[in-house]
Amino acid sequence: MPELRRDPIHGRWVIISTERGRRPSDFATEERRPVGGFCPLCEGNENKTPPEIIAFRNNGTSPNTPGWTLRVVPNKFPALRIEGELGREGDGIYDKMNGIGAHEVVIETPSHHETISTLPQEAVKNILWAYRERMIDLRGDQRLRYVLVFKNHGVAAGASLEHSHSQIIALPIVPRRVSEEIEGAKNYFGYKDRCVFCDIIRQELQQRNRLIMENQSFISIAPFASRFPFETWILPKAHNPSFEHTAPSLYEQAAQILSETLHRLSQVLSDPPYNYVIHTSSFSETDNDHYHWHLEIMPKLTKVAGFEWGTGFYINPTPPEEAAHYLREAK
Ligand SMILES: [Zn+2]
Ligand SMILES: [Zn+2]
Ligand SMILES: [Zn+2]
């Protein structure tokens, strides 16, 4: 059973993965591990993944056989386990609990060489819809408090399989980066009586120098204090605290802006490795005035080095105004 441990100084939780205990020699070869070879996510290899949780399939095909356009399966090597009790306990000054949670894989396409930026918009919409269905379902688990959807694209961004996929992790705690963001938004609201994200959207639509694109319901921007070159955020224009409670009619436009934004990043930076995450409200605060869901895309163009580790300060060599300019111009 993996273990969750809390740092008593920062209040930061980490997952100690006891089962995957790695020896020093396992790390040395990590970066050189070849990508490719047999792919358990390809159509036809359904029996190489755990049984599907949900799938979008052609009529008449049965679960765990070919004929699907998207599948969600439990991660074969989960960071957290779904069975068991939380078992919160102290160990002297330290706090820990069992690594309970869900870890799922969204297989975004049956074909090995498609990526989100090459898939048709309808397929991207289905990916977002699958996130929504899984998030709503996981919210029902009383032991859990937060669900994060994320994607690693490319080896440098942490993808261990080449086949296009994203992951969903549901946690028994609200992770620190998220609670910092929620607290910050709450403080801003307490002071101004307005949502900080709504204010950002209003100003970015006015100034337009960090605006990458917009459609009727969403904008994508290079944030004012971008940590990384070409960091990009996508936000719904109307106030909306949780991704999974977005009106069904908006997923079409969410897919359109995600698809086009990734396409532009791919054009300008020639298919860069990247991560994206969806930040949504915690389970206890689904509906509120201060938090506003968004999707953050972080191309992996620079490495986080000593100064960043030591200070939490980032040095970004590309001003967001310039990044937005390149992305706006891209066709
Ligand atoms: Zn594949
Ligand atoms: Zn808002
Ligand atoms: Zn965020």
Side-chain angles (χ1 to χ4, degrees):
M1 173 70 78
E3 197 169 274
L4 282 177
R5 295 186 182 177
R6 186 171 177 273
D7 179 309
I9 305 164
H10 295 274
R12 172 176 59 212
W13 289 88
V14 297
I15 299 172
I16 306 289
S17 180
T18 41
E19 283 166 26
R20 284 196 274 183
R22 296 229 178 128
R23 290 157 304 165
S25 58
D26 295 340
F27 293 103
T29 51
E30 194 100 316
E31 295 232 330
R32 279 170 259 147
R33 189 178 42 192
V35 175
F38 176 79
C39 175
L41 306 187
C42 271
E43 185 165 31
N45 299 339
E46 292 77 13
N47 61 352
K48 296 294 184 288
T49 64
E52 61 202 42
I53 302 167
I54 54 167
F56 300 154
R57 309 191 137 270
N58 302 331
N59 287 341
T61 59
S62 23
N64 306 304
T65 65
W68 47 277
T69 52
L70 176 150
R71 298 174 81 214
V72 182
V73 299
N75 193 310
K76 204 169 181 177
F77 307 101
L80 296 158
R81 303 261 160 192
I82 197 72
E83 312 87 17
E85 298 297 318
L86 282 176
R88 293 172 191 275
E89 62 173 306
D91 178 2
I93 63 164
Y94 302 121
D95 296 313
K96 60 179 187 178
M97 67 174 100
N98 290 328
I100 298 292
H103 191 172
E104 303 176 357
V105 177
V106 180
I107 310 169
E108 296 161 348
T109 163
S111 88
H112 193 77
H113 292 290
E114 298 274 7
T115 65
I116 290 202
S117 55
T118 62
L119 281 173
Q121 202 180 297
E122 183 64 20
V124 178
K125 189 182 125 189
N126 284 338
I127 295 169
L128 299 177
W129 195 258
Y131 293 164
R132 166 198 166 99
E133 287 201 7
R134 294 308 305 138
M135 286 163 101
I136 289 175
D137 185 47
L138 289 163
R139 271 180 181 270
D141 190 324
Q142 296 302 317
R143 300 165 304 169
L144 304 178
R145 301 214 175 135
Y146 195 76
V147 60
L148 184 80
V149 166
F150 64 99
K151 179 172 172 72
N152 305 331
H153 172 82
V155 178
S160 51
L161 291 167
E162 202 178 46
H163 195 120
S164 194
H165 68 286
S166 33
Q167 301 180 61
I168 301 175
I169 290 193
L171 295 158
I173 47 108
V174 181
R176 196 177 65 139
R177 181 147 295 168
V178 174
S179 60
E180 275 174 5
E181 213 180 73
I182 295 174
E183 280 313 305
K186 225 182 235 175
N187 289 341
Y188 185 94
F189 190 90
Y191 178 57
K192 301 207 178 181
D193 230 5
R194 295 193 308 262
C195 164
V196 61
F197 296 94
C198 286
D199 274 4
I200 289 173
I201 292 163
R202 208 170 294 128
Q203 180 161 342
E204 297 301 339
L205 280 173
Q206 229 164 47
Q207 292 187 330
R208 302 192 90 77
N209 56 338
R210 282 175 298 270
L211 185 70
I212 296 163
M213 62 169 291
E214 63 174 312
N215 62 24
Q216 200 189 328
S217 310
F218 291 87
I219 65 167
S220 75
I221 57 167
F224 176 72
S226 293
R227 291 157 293 179
F228 310 103
F230 291 87
E231 177 174 346
T232 299
W233 294 1
I234 294 175
L235 306 103
K237 285 178 180 170
H239 183 75
N240 188 347
S242 52
F243 170 85
E244 58 277 36
H245 296 120
T246 296
S249 58
L250 291 186
Y251 286 85
E252 182 110 39
Q253 294 206 37
Q256 193 264 335
I257 200 158
L258 175 61
S259 174
E260 192 171 331
T261 302
L262 287 174
H263 198 72
R264 286 171 188 240
L265 280 163
S266 172
Q267 286 264 300
V268 171
L269 301 165
S270 24
D271 190 23
Y274 67 81
N275 302 105
Y276 73 55
V277 302
I278 294 178
H279 276 158
T280 187
S281 291
S282 68
F283 291 5
S284 61
E285 281 196 304
T286 311
D287 201 12
N288 64 68
D289 292 329
H290 56 266
Y291 196 68
H292 192 126
W293 80 263
H294 53 276
L295 186 147
E296 300 184 15
I297 306 168
M298 286 147 290
K300 279 278 165 317
L301 305 169
T302 51
K303 287 214 159 114
V304 172
F307 178 68
E308 285 88 351
W309 282 124
T311 59
F313 248 99
Y314 293 90
I315 304 175
N316 176 357
T318 312
E321 293 76 14
E322 266 174 45
H325 176 78
Y326 284 116
L327 294 171
R328 262 197 314 271
E329 299 293 296
K331 281 283 166 296

